[in-house]
């Protein structure tokens, strides 16, 4: 947290104050300024939403009977009840006006420089074909369909086709091993999987054949497997259907499913501190309408604008970019490849060549580019209008380079934070207020949120929990098949208040700062993962008896993993627990999850009632004092942890 209130580095121009989407909305509502808009959005959320949707030209297929039904309590609201809406159909409608069908919807480029451009007419036709093909092989409305794809045009088409026909997409991170992917598919009871045979990275073919075979063997509910050729690998799985079969079907009548406003369209998995990953359930009007509204009014995205924000389909930003760019009738610019091939200027080069107006990046990628600034800035980028950063807390050096160098010192940086379970932002920057480094200048419009103490009292100039006080469009409809976990995760700390799990501070000048997670969840290269999932991956009872995974600051990735392991009986004689744990985690979870260090210990810190105290392991590694250890089963364990860390670093 800053010792002083942060000073602004960017001021809104007259154009922002008079011609932005937000300023238009303020005039539409006959309000005076942005402060009044925030107050109005919380006082009259029904009219706020009806006016914004009308302003953006987003229409229900059948009008809802009311704005929200909270008869089941604040934890289980039903927004826009009685209405009908299919998000994919809304995305695929051509922009209004002459030539709208021929305007670009998707521009794709890969690491090798191959390019594809699809107009709204072409994207709509191909999506309808694939939706028809999926239905022809037995996938029906409400079925869960896994999506394990790199950033290809087919990934976008498959995502939209699943929604168009009323099935439920389960996006998966393409870098996952078979274990975590299978775990999510099993939990979702997925009946189908759409996957690529592999992808290209750093000039090499990366085959997914072994992963796909392992998934097919581990998930008995998978009755349909569609394989998209990317590298031409041969994958022999009984009953597998080639992508070319489903994409060549003539669109059938009724291919667009009649979906209600609270029909689910996506289960997106996110990790917590304990237990298996949580499947955040989103409906056709929760995530889609929220991200479209955010993109329009927070990112100031307009019809014809072009958005490039590189992210895997398995993380929130992947679906966010598809839906928001298309629903607002702009263009999605999609890149598939390594960010530094052939140089760290690759992102900027692609963005500039495709005339991107809105560019998003995680702080990890920003730091990578800043480390080789001249290479990263080699391409002129005159079309850039908005910069976005999200995924983790950004540090001052990275923010300064992004703002002053990448954006030329005049482009606003929209610092944006929310999460999978809330769809959009809780805190953000907007173009009507001054922007300070690493801060947020606003609570997101429509979010009744603030920083509170442990009993829910609002705090100013003091760190506290980031909390949301009222139901909001975009909030998850609970966790798939786990309603109790949903209540425990967000509603159990303070009565009738959503506690998000982030520590923040609200300064008296209105700027807010995010301090990090208030639990043990880590963000590795911007990807959220819980310690329990990592620990369960390495503990086998033989080489590793017990494990703690903790996050530590890392200048390259933002946060890195350190594993503390208690060797199992076989490892005690072989001395291989450290190597085994590191190798296992990388193989099963993916390369980004390889630990930066593995510390062997005789025991792990726990309270007397058996609760894990990962905090102590992290503080030992960082050389921080232990704090209160009175509740520990073994109060002297901290010294043992410190010594084990020294041994691991080669200092003893």
């Amino acid at each position: 947290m800053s010792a002083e209130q942060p000073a602004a580095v960017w001021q809104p121009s007259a154009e922002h104050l008079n011609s932005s989407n937000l300023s238009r909305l303020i005039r539409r509502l006959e309000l005076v300024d942005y402060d009044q808009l925030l107050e109005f959005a919380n006082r009259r959320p029904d009219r706020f939403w009806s006016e914004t949707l009308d302003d953006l030209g987003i229409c229900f297929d059948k009008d809802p009977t009311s704005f929200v039904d909270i008869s089941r309590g604040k934890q289980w609201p039903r927004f826009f009840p009685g209405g009908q809406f299919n998000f994919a159909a809304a995305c695929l409608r051509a922009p209004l006006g002459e030539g709208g069908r021929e305007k670009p919807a998707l521009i794709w480029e890969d690491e090798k420089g191959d390019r594809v451009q699809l107009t709204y007419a072409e994207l709509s036709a191909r999506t309808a074909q694939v939706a028809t093909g999926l239905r022809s092989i037995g996938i029906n409305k409400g079925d869960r369909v896994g999506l394990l794809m790199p950033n290809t045009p087919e990934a976008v088409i498959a995502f939209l086709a699943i929604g168009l026909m009323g099935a439920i997409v389960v996006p998966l991170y393409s870098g996952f091993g078979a274990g975590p992917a299978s775990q999510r598919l099993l939990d979702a009871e997925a009946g189908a999987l759409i996957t690529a045979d592999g992808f290209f990275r750093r000039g090499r073919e990366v085959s997914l054949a072994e992963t796909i075979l392992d998934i097919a063997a581990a998930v008995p509910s998978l009755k349909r497997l569609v394989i998209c050729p990317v590298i031409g690998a041969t994958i022999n799985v009984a009953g597998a259907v080639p992508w070319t079969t489903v994409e060549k079907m003539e669109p059938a009548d009724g291919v667009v499913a009649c979906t209600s406003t609270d029909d689910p369209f996506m289960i997106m998995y996110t990790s917590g501190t304990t237990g298996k990953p949580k499947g955040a359930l989103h409906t056709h009007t929760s995530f889609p309408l929220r991200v479209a509204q955010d993109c329009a009014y927070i990112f100031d995205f307009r019809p014809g604008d072009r958005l490039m924000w590189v992210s895997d389909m398995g993380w929130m930003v992947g679906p966010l970019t598809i839906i928001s760019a298309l629903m607002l009738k702009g263009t999605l610019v999609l890149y598939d490849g390594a960010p530094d091939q052939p140089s760290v200027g690759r992102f900027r080069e692609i963005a500039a060549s495709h005339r991107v107006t809105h560019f998003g990046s995680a702080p990890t990628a920003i730091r990578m580019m800043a480390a080789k600034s001249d290479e990263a800035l080699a391409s002129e980028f005159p079309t850039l209008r908005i910069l976005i950063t999200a995924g983790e807390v950004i540090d001052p050096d990275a923010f300064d380079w992004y703002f002053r160098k990448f954006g030329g010192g005049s482009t606003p940086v929209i610092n944006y934070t929310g999460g999978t379970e809330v769809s959009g932002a809780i805190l953000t920057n907007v173009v009507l207020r001054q922007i300070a480094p690493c801060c947020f200048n606003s609570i997101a419009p429509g979010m009744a949120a603030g920083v509170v103490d442990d009993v829910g009292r609002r705090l100013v100039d003091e760190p506290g929990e980031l909390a949301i006080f009222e139901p909001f469009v975009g909030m998850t409809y609970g966790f798939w098949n786990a309603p109790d976990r949903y209540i425990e995760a967000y509603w159990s700390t303070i009565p009738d208040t959503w506690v998000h799990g982030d520590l923040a501070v609200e300064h008296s000048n209105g700027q807010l700062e995010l301090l990090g997670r208030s639990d043990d969840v880590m963000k590795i290269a911007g990807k959220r993962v819980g310690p329990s999932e990592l620990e369960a991956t390495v503990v086998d009872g033989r080489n590793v008896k017990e494990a703690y995974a903790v996050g530590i600051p890392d200048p390259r990735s933002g946060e890195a993993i350190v594993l503390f392991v208690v060797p199992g009986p076989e490892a005690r004689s072989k001395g291989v627990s450290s190597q085994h744990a590191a190798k296992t985690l990388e193989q099963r979870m993916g390369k980004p999850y390889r630990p930066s260090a593995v510390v062997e210990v005789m025991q792990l810190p726990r309270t007397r009632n058996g609760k894990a105290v990962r905090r102590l392991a992290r503080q030992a590694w960082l050389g921080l004092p232990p704090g209160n250890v009175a509740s520990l089963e073994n109060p002297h364990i901290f010294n043992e942890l410190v010594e084990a860390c020294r041994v691991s670093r080669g200092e003893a």
Side-chain angles (χ1 to χ4, degrees), residues 12 61 70 131 133-134 141 200 220 257 273 277-278 285-286 292 301 317 342 347 354 361 392 412 523 533 578 629:
D61 302 319
I70 56 171
L134 295 178
K141 181 180 179 181
F200 291 94
T273 54
K278 304 166 295 190
T285 51
S286 59
F301 191 88
V317 169
F347 278 177
H354 295 301
S361 182
E392 59 188 284
K523 281 196 173 178
E533 184 173 6
S578 298
V629 296

Side-chain angles (χ1 to χ4, degrees), residues 286-505:
S286 59
F287 188 100
L289 294 187
R290 178 65 200 285
V291 299
Q293 189 193 71
D294 273 13
C295 191
Y297 298 114
I298 290 176
F299 303 157
D300 200 34
F301 191 88
R302 307 166 192 177
D305 282 346
R306 298 186 173 192
L307 171 64
M308 176 178 168
W309 188 353
V310 179
S311 171
D312 191 89
M313 284 293 297
W315 306 116
M316 172 185 160
V317 169
L320 180 153
T321 55
I322 294 172
I323 294 170
S324 57
L326 297 178
M327 200 172 287
L328 297 175
K329 306 310 160 195
T331 303
L332 173 63
V333 177
L334 196 65
Y335 173 63
D336 182 29
D340 55 353
Q341 294 295 311
S343 76
V344 296
R346 186 65 170 139
F347 278 177
R348 187 177 173 97
E349 175 194 4
I350 291 172
S353 67
H354 295 301
R355 304 193 305 280
V356 163
T357 57
H358 292 63
F359 180 88
S361 182
T364 298
I366 295 170
R367 287 188 288 267
M368 179 198 69
M369 292 187 287
K372 296 183 178 180
S373 184
D374 291 343
E375 286 184 20
L377 301 173
S379 298
E380 294 293 326
F381 196 176
T383 58
L384 177 65
R385 202 172 81 239
I386 296 287
L387 285 170
I388 307 162
T389 182
E392 59 188 284
V393 177
I394 190 168
D395 60 276
D397 290 342
F399 184 97
D400 184 75
W401 183 86
Y402 198 41
F403 171 65
R404 298 189 186 282
K405 299 295 186 180
F406 198 95
S410 60
T411 306
V413 176
I414 306 301
N415 200 9
Y416 183 85
T417 186
T420 303
E421 302 90 335
V422 300
S423 300
I426 303 174
L427 306 179
T428 188
N429 283 336
V430 295
V431 297
L432 296 186
R433 286 180 170 175
Q434 60 186 15
I435 292 173
C438 311
C439 292
F440 306 88
N441 64 19
S442 179
I443 292 167
M447 298 292 279
V451 179
V452 300
D453 64 13
D454 56 5
V455 295
R457 290 184 296 243
R458 293 290 293 269
L459 297 174
V460 176
D461 291 329
E462 292 183 50
E465 291 276 0
L466 184 59
I468 308 169
F469 311 121
E470 297 295 337
F472 53 94
V473 175
M475 67 185 280
T476 179
Y477 271 44
F479 297 152
W480 179 259
N481 286 339
D484 292 342
R485 287 191 71 201
Y486 161 66
I487 296 297
E488 173 66 24
Y490 295 110
W491 297 95
S492 61
T493 304
I494 302 171
D496 284 338
T497 300
W498 175 298
V499 178
H500 196 60
D502 283 329
L503 289 176
V505 61

Side-chain angles (χ1 to χ4, degrees), residues 56-266:
L56 300 176
I58 299 173
C59 302
F60 293 102
D61 302 319
K62 175 186 174 184
D63 286 338
T65 56
S66 63
F67 172 62
V68 64
D69 174 0
I70 56 171
S71 59
R72 296 174 59 200
K74 292 172 67 172
Q75 299 86 348
W76 304 102
R78 290 181 60 226
F79 286 96
F80 311 111
Q84 292 177 352
F85 185 77
N86 185 297
F87 91 90
C91 287
L92 294 168
R93 291 189 186 103
L96 297 175
E98 185 177 352
R101 287 172 49 81
E102 303 310 313
K103 290 184 178 178
L106 172 66
I107 297 173
W108 171 82
E109 185 167 341
D110 71 359
E111 196 176 272
K112 298 177 294 180
D114 293 339
R115 296 182 176 188
V116 170
Q117 178 169 309
L118 297 176
T119 65
Y120 272 87
E122 291 168 333
L123 181 61
S124 180
R126 289 186 63 180
T127 301
Q129 287 175 303
V130 171
T132 303
L134 295 178
R135 185 169 291 170
S136 74
I137 63 172
I139 299 174
N140 298 304
K141 181 180 179 181
D143 289 351
R144 275 76 65 202
V145 182
L147 187 61
L148 182 64
M149 296 279 283
N151 284 342
T152 61
E154 290 77 15
V156 177
I157 292 167
F159 179 84
L160 293 170
I162 293 167
L164 197 69
M165 60 174 292
I168 303 171
V169 66
V170 184
L172 301 167
Y173 171 45
S174 62
F176 270 153
S182 297
Q183 184 181 32
R184 288 155 173 79
L185 293 171
L186 283 166
D187 185 74
E189 302 164 295
L193 173 65
I194 302 174
T195 180
D197 60 358
F199 50 87
F200 291 94
R201 282 297 179 275
R202 304 185 186 281
R204 296 187 301 108
E205 293 182 354
V206 180
S207 175
L208 290 175
E210 185 177 344
T211 299
I212 293 168
L213 291 170
D214 289 344
I215 290 173
V219 186
S221 62
L222 286 180
K223 306 301 182 185
R224 304 286 184 271
L225 182 64
V226 179
I227 301 178
C228 182
V230 174
I231 64 173
T234 300
I235 303 175
N236 296 315
V237 180
V241 178
W243 173 266
T244 50
T245 298
V246 300
E247 74 170 346
K248 291 182 178 178
M249 299 292 292
E250 194 66 27
D253 292 337
V255 66
V256 180
C258 181
T259 48
S260 72
T261 48
D262 54 5
D263 275 343
F265 92 96
M266 179 171 70

Side-chain angles (χ1 to χ4, degrees), residues 456-584:
R457 290 184 296 243
R458 293 290 293 269
L459 297 174
V460 176
D461 291 329
E462 292 183 50
E465 291 276 0
L466 184 59
I468 308 169
F469 311 121
E470 297 295 337
F472 53 94
V473 175
M475 67 185 280
T476 179
Y477 271 44
F479 297 152
W480 179 259
N481 286 339
D484 292 342
R485 287 191 71 201
Y486 161 66
I487 296 297
E488 173 66 24
Y490 295 110
W491 297 95
S492 61
T493 304
I494 302 171
D496 284 338
T497 300
W498 175 298
V499 178
H500 196 60
D502 283 329
L503 289 176
V505 61
E506 182 174 3
H507 295 288
S508 54
N509 67 353
Q511 296 284 343
L512 299 104
E513 287 185 82
L514 200 63
L515 308 180
R517 295 293 298 173
S518 57
D519 55 23
D520 294 324
V521 172
M522 290 161 268
K523 281 196 173 178
I524 306 303
K527 301 172 180 68
R528 186 177 167 193
V529 64
S532 62
E533 184 173 6
L534 304 175
E535 293 156 5
T537 300
V538 301
V539 173
D540 59 8
R542 301 185 307 277
N543 289 288
V544 178
K545 182 181 177 183
E546 297 178 88
Y548 280 177
V550 300
I552 61 163
D554 183 87
R556 180 172 168 270
S557 64
E559 196 167 15
I561 298 166
V562 172
L563 275 179
F564 288 75
V565 300
V566 177
E570 293 184 15
R572 290 186 186 280
S573 60
K574 300 176 185 177
V576 295
S577 60
S578 298
Q579 299 93 320
H580 171 84
K583 185 177 180 180
T584 299

Side-chain angles (χ1 to χ4, degrees), residues 622-638:
L622 295 175
L624 299 174
N628 189 349
V629 296
S631 64
L632 291 181
E633 185 178 47
N634 176 6
H636 303 292
I637 194 174
F638 186 72

